[in-house]
Amino acid sequence: MARKIAIALLIEDRPVLSSLQFALAVDGFDARDGSSQGGLASAAALVIDQGYRGDGLAWLGTLRAGGSFVPAILLATNPTPRLRARARETGAALIEKPLRFHELRAAIDAALCDQKAA
């Protein structure tokens, strides 16, 4: 059996986290809570809510500064031009909420494709 691709979800809203875990699992991914012990280990991509730990993008910046360049997708409501610029600076794709699953799936596919090409 082929190994499922791991996607780490960094989302503090438990109902949203559960919904995304379910939807991604149905699509064949190993969608895991990235905040749990070992949740980031071997993740092929990260999905981060802007509200994660107060500032999801700052948290991603800390990961980047530590040498992690796993593809990332930022979920944000009404992103400002400054937030959009910060997302670009960290190499994160930005998806506006309300979230449409097909947009998230397309962003994950693009991130994984870019990762393979690198």
Side-chain angles (χ1 to χ4, degrees), residues 6-10 30 32-43 45-46:
I7 306 295
L9 304 173
L10 298 151
D30 172 14
R32 55 179 75 162
D33 181 352
S35 66
S36 66
Q37 186 74 13
L40 295 178
S42 71
L46 309 174

Side-chain angles (χ1 to χ4, degrees), residues 6 11-12 15 30 43 49 52 55 62 67-68 72 78 82 94 100:
I11 298 168
E12 291 176 331
D30 172 14
D49 186 77
Y52 183 73
D55 184 348
T62 301
S68 175
N78 297 322
R82 175 69 185 127
L94 178 76
R100 291 177 195 89

